[in-house]
Amino acid sequence: QMGKNKQKGKKQMNVFHVANKQVKAKTKTKPIKTSLKNINILKNEKVENLNQIFSAVQRDVKNISKSTAPEPKEKTMVAREKPQEPVNVDALLTSTSLSGDMSGVAGASALGCSPAGFASGSSGIAARLPSRVLEHIFSYLDLSDLSMCSLVCWHWNNCLADENSEVWRSLCARVLSEEALRSDILCNLPTYKGKLKSFQHALSSHDCSRNVYVKKNGFTLHRNPIAQSTDGARGKIGFTEGRHAWEIWWEGPLGTVAVIGIATKRAPMQCQGYVALLGSDDQSWGWNLVDNNLLHNGEVNGNFPQCNNAPKYQIGERIRVILDMDDKTLAFERGFEFLGVAFRGLPKTCLFPAVSAVYGNTEVTMVYLGKPLDG
């Protein structure tokens, strides 16, 4: 039989050869039948699709550019009018007017809005931007930039008029401390813009006695325990016109003297001994909460409030100070009770909110409220 196999040209295989052959057959992979020509065709199709998409994007960009391009202005003869002053939009959150700042006009012209366009509702590029887009852009700006933006056109001005918009909320988050926003210090201010305005009018850390400092919340004054010294502080911004209100409250013992009131820039903010610093000269007017008397020019001007057995001040009680620079008066409120006018005939000069204290480690907080509500 072996001879027959040799004649047919077949090689005899043993058991090991058969096993190896079966293993190799299982591990073989099918060869790739896709030709190079087919691969190139697929690549060309993808490239062509990308080119078509890119061409479509370019067409869309051109269409958008055409729609936003400024319309050609017709030459018309317009009579010259006296230039109008920019509207005071209170964008700097202070009592000062923006009427003298004309840098916003330059920004208006660059954006297709002329100063006259502000008064008539400009139809330039600036007026076409959606309010949501404007709010998102404005939320990255600071107060000085926002004041200029408010002068560009009525559309931008109206966008900034919402005192609880995302613009003022984001600015509050950047400027105010977390403690001030989470505590009840600003509980009587419902809007974000009002909170920012209050911070701009808070007690100054640079215009005060060397024995006091303003805490991180930006509103509370802390007096260090220094013996035989009376220490005070002024607000950051003074007033020459209008009506203004702010709240003051003690968060510690009053000591022998605790005075709240107003002062000019010339009034001293520190003196030796324990005295009523506010009201010690003709540059300040004060109400001593300990003795319930009014002080000015170093003299007692009577008791306040003018009633029998007036209650003493309680720690934590909020006193509202009302300054009317038009009528030249200074009045006080406690809770919802109007205590009356304390001083009349105030001088026509810049007057600042002020406090003075003598007790060590006592703290005084002042929050500016804005224009007082009538009634």
Side-chain angles (χ1 to χ4, degrees):
Q1 187 168 353
M2 290 178 65
K4 293 180 180 180
N5 291 337
K6 289 180 180 180
Q7 292 176 358
K8 294 181 180 181
K10 293 182 179 180
K11 188 176 179 180
Q12 186 178 11
M13 295 184 294
N14 56 25
V15 178
F16 300 104
H17 289 160
V18 174
N20 291 334
K21 186 176 181 181
Q22 291 177 353
V23 172
K24 289 180 181 179
K26 289 182 180 180
T27 57
K28 283 185 178 180
T29 58
K30 294 182 180 181
I32 299 174
K33 296 182 179 180
T34 304
S35 62
L36 182 61
K37 183 178 180 180
N38 293 335
I39 294 175
N40 291 333
I41 291 173
L42 292 174
K43 290 176 65 176
N44 291 334
E45 289 178 354
K46 291 182 179 179
V47 171
E48 187 176 354
N49 290 335
L50 291 174
N51 289 334
Q52 291 177 357
I53 294 171
F54 183 72
S55 299
V57 171
Q58 284 183 323
R59 286 195 300 271
D60 293 340
V61 171
K62 288 181 180 179
N63 293 333
I64 293 173
S65 301
K66 289 179 181 179
S67 62
T68 57
E71 298 178 358
K73 296 182 179 179
E74 297 181 359
K75 294 183 178 180
T76 56
M77 299 299 293
V78 180
R80 289 181 177 271
E81 297 180 359
K82 186 179 179 180
Q84 299 180 355
E85 294 184 351
V87 179
N88 178 14
V89 295
D90 199 23
L92 281 176
L93 306 182
T94 67
S95 60
T96 57
S97 174
L98 297 175
S99 58
D101 195 340
M102 296 300 294
S103 58
V105 175
S109 301
L111 291 164
C113 293
S114 63
F118 181 80
S120 61
S122 171
S123 59
I125 299 174
R128 299 180 185 179
L129 294 175
S131 298
R132 283 184 169 272
V133 175
L134 286 175
E135 284 191 5
H136 184 72
I137 296 173
F138 290 161
S139 63
Y140 292 95
L141 305 182
D142 56 17
L143 287 177
S144 58
D145 294 331
L146 290 175
S147 70
M148 296 299 99
C149 291
S150 64
L151 298 175
V152 171
C153 61
W154 279 116
H155 180 47
W156 286 26
N157 184 275
N158 292 333
C159 184
L160 293 170
D162 183 4
E163 298 191 359
N164 268 324
S165 66
E166 179 64 23
V167 178
W168 302 113
R169 188 203 66 79
S170 60
L171 192 57
C172 266
R174 297 199 307 269
V175 174
L176 300 183
S177 66
E178 188 175 352
E179 178 186 350
L181 292 173
R182 291 189 175 184
S183 64
D184 62 346
I185 293 176
L186 305 175
C187 63
N188 290 333
L189 296 169
T191 66
Y192 289 116
K193 186 177 179 181
K195 294 177 181 8
L196 283 167
K197 185 182 294 186
S198 180
F199 178 74
Q200 294 294 313
H201 289 78
L203 292 172
S204 174
S205 59
H206 304 289
D207 192 6
C208 60
S209 168
R210 63 180 180 273
N211 299 323
V212 299
Y213 65 89
V214 178
K215 297 178 67 176
K216 291 183 178 180
N217 61 24
F219 297 90
T220 302
L221 185 79
H222 181 95
R223 183 189 181 274
N224 293 322
I226 305 298
Q228 293 299 317
S229 177
T230 302
D231 307 289
R234 261 182 292 261
K236 297 176 184 176
I237 298 173
F239 311 108
T240 57
E241 60 183 3
R243 301 171 66 228
H244 308 272
W246 59 91
E247 288 181 332
I248 295 181
W249 65 94
W250 250 257
E251 299 180 14
L254 302 181
T256 56
V257 181
V259 188
I260 61 175
I262 55 176
T264 67
K265 200 70 173 178
R266 297 170 57 188
M269 289 292 107
Q270 194 273 334
C271 68
Q272 295 296 320
Y274 301 135
V275 299
L277 184 58
L278 292 183
S280 61
D281 57 11
D282 61 347
Q283 300 296 313
S284 59
W285 297 257
W287 173 23
N288 186 0
L289 299 178
V290 177
D291 297 333
N292 274 344
N293 51 35
L294 300 176
L295 305 166
H296 175 60
N297 203 15
E299 298 178 354
V300 176
N301 289 2
N303 295 330
F304 190 83
Q306 295 179 355
C307 61
N308 295 328
N309 299 322
K312 295 289 186 178
Y313 176 81
Q314 303 296 322
I315 295 176
E317 191 175 21
R318 297 195 179 202
I319 299 294
R320 184 167 297 183
V321 186
I322 303 173
L323 175 63
D324 191 334
M325 292 301 296
D326 299 330
D327 291 341
K328 303 295 187 293
T329 60
L330 182 68
F332 296 94
E333 290 182 1
R334 179 161 45 198
F336 296 99
E337 180 185 1
F338 181 71
L339 301 179
V341 176
F343 296 98
R344 299 181 185 274
L346 297 174
K348 191 176 181 180
T349 186
C350 189
L351 299 176
F352 294 78
V355 298
S356 67
V358 298
Y359 199 89
N361 291 323
T362 194
E363 294 183 344
V364 188
T365 301
M366 189 192 88
V367 175
Y368 178 77
L369 302 176
K371 184 178 179 180
L373 298 176
D374 294 327

